[in-house]
């Protein structure tokens, strides 16, 4: 069975908009730790949260998250 | 911002006050529940909910196993003292399993 994980570009996009993890977390109503885990590919988030984060970063889901099929 | 309703578990800490009136210091252990007030300011997000659920599942499994063992033990020993000790032990064990699991999942994230 293949394992599908996300690779996120949140860190890169945060830098573009000069956002801290805390600021992005507040925008999407999650904890800073959750953003940290997503950035480090330690947490496969829900589609709803992926959409919220993408919108907060003025990007599409495909621009922020990259599928990694193993 | 979504707040964590788990903070209300902290109210169970008030049972620790019984120790002051009865002189039974064992009740002071209930003061540990005040720790739940510490997470009241945390946003209740999906990762937190997932970690709480997984930690709760671990505690459930462990408490079930401990309960079965204690029922067997109580049946064999037929003493109320043994039952009292097992109730306290299961209570402490499931709390520890929950706290340790939750902290572990929080640090590790969830791949």
């Amino acid at each position: 069975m293949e394992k599908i994980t996300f690779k996120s570009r949140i860190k890169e996009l945060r830098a573009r908009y000069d956002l801290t993890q805390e600021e992005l977390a507040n925008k999407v109503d999650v904890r800073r730790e959750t953003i940290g885990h997503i950035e480090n590919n330690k947490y496969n988030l829900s589609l709803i949260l992926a959409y919220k984060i993408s919108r907060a970063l003025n990007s599409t889901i495909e621009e922020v998250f990259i599928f990694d099929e193993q | 911002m979504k707040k964590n309703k788990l903070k209300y578990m902290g109210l169970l800490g008030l049972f620790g006050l019984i120790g002051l009136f009865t002189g039974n210091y064992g009740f002071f252990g209930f003061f540990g529940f005040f720790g739940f007030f510490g997470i009241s300011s945390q946003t209740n997000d999906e990762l937190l909910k997932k970690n709480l659920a997984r930690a709760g599942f671990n505690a459930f499994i462990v408490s079930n196993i401990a309960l079965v063992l204690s029922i067997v033990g109580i049946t064999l020993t037929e003493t109320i003292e043994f039952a009292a000790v097992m109730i306290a032990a299961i209570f402490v064990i499931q709390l520890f399993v929950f706290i340790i699991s939750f902290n572990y999942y929080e640090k590790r994230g969830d791949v």
Side-chain angles (χ1 to χ4, degrees):
Chain A
M1 196 179 192
E2 60 184 28
K3 190 181 174 191
I4 301 172
T5 54
F6 289 113
K7 275 190 177 164
S8 86
R9 291 177 57 230
I10 295 177
K11 205 170 185 176
E12 186 186 327
L13 291 164
R14 269 198 310 108
R16 187 190 293 175
Y17 293 105
D18 199 23
L19 280 173
T20 62
Q21 281 188 346
E22 189 85 52
E23 286 165 340
L24 178 61
N26 288 338
K27 274 189 167 197
V28 295
D29 205 19
V30 297
R31 295 172 300 151
R32 187 197 58 74
E33 293 83 358
T34 304
I35 297 293
H37 283 313
I38 296 167
E39 274 189 14
N40 296 319
N41 305 311
K42 284 184 170 178
Y43 177 53
N44 282 337
L45 68 174
S46 71
L47 188 57
I48 291 169
L49 184 54
Y51 178 74
K52 280 184 183 176
I53 290 172
S54 305
R55 202 166 57 170
L57 295 169
N58 296 318
S59 308
T60 63
I61 289 180
E62 290 83 0
E63 283 170 333
V64 182
F65 300 100
I66 301 149
F67 274 120
D68 184 27
E69 293 181 37
Q70 293 160 351
Chain B
M1 189 179 275
K2 291 169 277 182
K3 293 292 180 191
N4 203 331
K5 288 178 185 167
L6 203 67
K7 66 182 171 188
Y8 297 116
M9 288 279 284
L11 294 172
L12 290 173
L14 294 173
F15 282 104
L17 296 173
I18 296 172
L20 293 175
F21 303 116
T22 61
N24 184 346
Y25 300 130
F27 279 103
F28 289 164
F30 283 105
F31 287 138
F33 278 102
F34 287 141
F36 281 101
F37 288 128
I39 57 170
S40 62
S41 58
Q42 272 198 348
T43 303
N44 191 8
D45 67 10
E46 64 178 45
L47 182 57
L48 184 76
K49 279 182 192 167
K50 191 170 183 179
N51 289 340
L52 285 171
R54 295 172 80 196
F57 177 74
N58 291 346
F60 171 74
I61 295 293
V62 168
S63 64
N64 262 287
I65 293 168
L67 263 172
V68 169
L69 295 176
S70 68
I71 288 167
V72 172
I74 292 164
T75 309
L76 293 175
T77 59
E78 291 182 340
T79 58
I80 195 73
E81 290 80 12
F82 184 80
V85 168
M86 287 312 292
I87 287 168
I90 292 166
F91 177 64
V92 170
I93 288 168
Q94 67 179 358
L95 263 181
F96 268 99
V97 169
F98 179 81
I99 291 165
I100 291 166
S101 308
F102 178 68
N103 283 320
Y104 172 74
Y105 294 134
E106 280 286 285
K107 277 187 186 156
R108 194 190 68 166
D110 180 22
V111 178

